[in-house]
Amino acid sequence: MCAVNTALSVMSYDYPTEKLSVYVSDDGGSKLTVFAFMEAARFAALWLPYCKKNKIVERCPEAYFRSNLSWFPETDQIKMMYENMRDRVEKAVQKGSICHDYIPNEGEGEAFSRWTDGFTPQNHPPVIQVLLESSKDKDNAGHTMPNLVYISRGKSATLPHHFKAGALNVLLRVSGTMTNAPVILTLDADMYSNDPQTPLRVLCYLLDPAMDPKLGYIQFPQLFHGINENDIYGGQLKLEFQIEASGMDGLVGSTYTGTGCFFRRGVFFGGPSKTPELNQDHLVNKSINSKEVLAMAHHVADCNFEKQTKWGTEIGFRYGSLVEDFYTGYMLHCKGWKSIFCNPKRPAFLGNSPINLHSTLNQLMRWSVGLLEVAFCRYSPITFGVKSINPLTGLCYAHYAFWPIWSIPITIYAFVPQLALLNCASIFPKVCPSRRSLASQL
Ligand SMILES: O=c1ccn([C@@H]2O[C@H](COP(=O)(O)OP(=O)(O)O[C@H]3O[C@H](CO)[C@@H](O)[C@H](O)[C@H]3O)[C@@H](O)[C@H]2O)c(=O)[nH]1
Ligand SMILES: [Mn+2]
């Protein structure tokens, strides 16, 4: 349901819906996810006009119904519809299968036939399902709906999938064949839009003629909800996501932090693309549900597509680090692109952060390995970055990349005092009497 809320919150952006397309990537390759998004597509027909008519700012349904919501004549009905949808999805997840009564038409039922017997999350052909098509589907008030497309990229147990970077590159290619919009937002499934005006804010930067044409992306801070007010455990990661990002903004711009970031599509195509359909300027004028477009989309989402191409090295999101966001932003800066850190008063996005020790340790471990992969690769910020971007930004990137090394002095510092105490040893040099009197005088 978290991903459904993410999608609904951006589908209801204050932006012409015929120009808006939401692509959902499901690396788990589950029919339950398709089912959840079919339900979301139906609910969107009610939710979008409700939000727009009543000028609702909180457009993530879960957050809206949880808050002290403003009441309108149709609120109770919408709330009931939302809860019914949530129950159906949660029941299906609990049971692990979808009840036939929940599938209203044959077309939808047919989508599930792609899950054949040999289909596993690690080994399956690509599945792309258009759930809403802007040129055909209308909401309950008769307005156009945005496109909503489900994608589960092809996977093979014998080929590397490159984790999230691999998934993002498939999204980049499939959206290229279907709609090819010049601006792309990447948003994690555990975050949602908290401000429907965000795309307009971004366009102010991108369309400003006075702006540097090298502006490649606009990063919003990662802010989390559900953290106690004073954040006594530092769960907001304020230093990394807000303070340091503002500092780097004074140089060539903030790092890319994986979510809540709007890119110009062009930044991912540093070199000429091999497939003409993926050329960033190509205009798609066929229906996204047409045979040709779907065939091309399936082709570019196949696990064999990237063989012998520059995907992940020179084009698209970069492979080679578990922190693909940090590495991709860094390589874009090395190529000469600039970025902007935009931190509006009302948070543009809100997300979940790990709330127990196990998931925190898991995340820190993943980040540490990923950062060290960048620190010691051939494009290390300390050697390559300081030359390619500028010395100061290179050092900023080095500060992040070598950050896991802090674990060594911190571990020593955590144990030495106790060991010293147990062994009656002093960890500080003895102060001789003359110096002590000097110290006391000082
Ligand atoms: O093989 C994978 C692994 C992850 N994801 C997606 O990646 C997103 C982020 O994963 P999450 O588990 O939320 O990781 P976090 O540690 O919270 O993510 C932070 O760190 C990641 C690595 O640096 C960044 O990509 C994220 O944007 C950033 O929020 C999720 O939406 C996942 O669905 C994939 O699609 N495929
Ligand atoms: Mn996350």
Side-chain angles (χ1 to χ4, degrees), residues 12 44 60 79 87 96 112 124 212 222 243 300 318 325 345 347 367 393 411:
S12 48
C60 161
K79 188 170 182 208
D87 287 350
F112 299 116
H124 65 86
D212 189 337
Q222 279 208 38
I243 299 169
V300 298
R318 304 304 199 263
D325 47 352
K345 220 175 190 181
W367 285 354
T393 309
T411 311

Side-chain angles (χ1 to χ4, degrees), residues 34 97 105 126 149 169 192 224 318:
V34 186
S97 65
N105 63 53
V149 182
N169 280 340
Y192 62 82
F224 306 105
R318 304 304 199 263

Side-chain angles (χ1 to χ4, degrees), residues 261-281:
C261 186
F262 287 81
F263 289 94
R264 270 186 216 278
R265 185 179 284 268
V267 302
F268 296 111
F269 299 87
S273 176
K274 279 195 175 162
T275 320
E277 280 74 6
L278 295 178
N279 187 315
Q280 38 160 318
D281 299 327

Side-chain angles (χ1 to χ4, degrees), residues 9-50:
S9 72
V10 287
M11 282 165 73
S12 48
Y13 263 154
D14 277 337
Y15 195 74
T17 36
E18 68 280 5
K19 293 185 182 169
L20 201 64
S21 301
V22 176
Y23 293 87
V24 178
S25 162
D26 176 18
D27 255 1
S30 162
K31 357 176 173 186
L32 297 172
T33 315
V34 186
F35 171 67
F37 277 90
M38 283 174 176
E39 288 282 335
R42 268 192 291 276
F43 178 68
L46 282 165
W47 180 245
L48 267 57
Y50 171 74

Side-chain angles (χ1 to χ4, degrees), residues 46 66 87 90 95 104 112 138 141 221 231 241 247 251 321 324 356 407:
L46 282 165
R66 209 177 32 212
D87 287 350
E90 282 174 356
K95 265 177 63 186
F112 299 116
K138 302 267 180 267
D231 189 17
F241 289 142
L251 301 164
S321 166
E324 79 302 321
N356 57 42
S407 59

Side-chain angles (χ1 to χ4, degrees), residues 24-31 33-34 113-128 150-159 161 167 170 298-299 301-305:
V24 178
S25 162
D26 176 18
D27 255 1
S30 162
K31 357 176 173 186
T33 315
V34 186
S113 64
R114 319 271 273 281
W115 274 263
T116 50
D117 283 344
F119 194 110
T120 62
Q122 297 78 24
N123 214 341
H124 65 86
V127 181
I128 298 174
Y150 167 90
I151 303 168
S152 181
R153 61 180 167 139
K155 286 241 186 98
S156 157
T158 53
L159 289 172
H161 55 72
V170 170
H298 278 84
H299 171 60
D302 194 79
C303 53
N304 287 307
F305 181 84

Side-chain angles (χ1 to χ4, degrees), residues 169-194:
N169 280 340
V170 170
L171 287 180
L172 208 54
R173 293 197 294 268
V174 172
S175 62
T177 60
M178 290 187 151
T179 45
N180 209 26
V183 181
I184 296 168
L185 160 69
T186 61
L187 193 58
D188 283 350
D190 56 4
M191 293 212 114
Y192 62 82
S193 155
N194 186 51

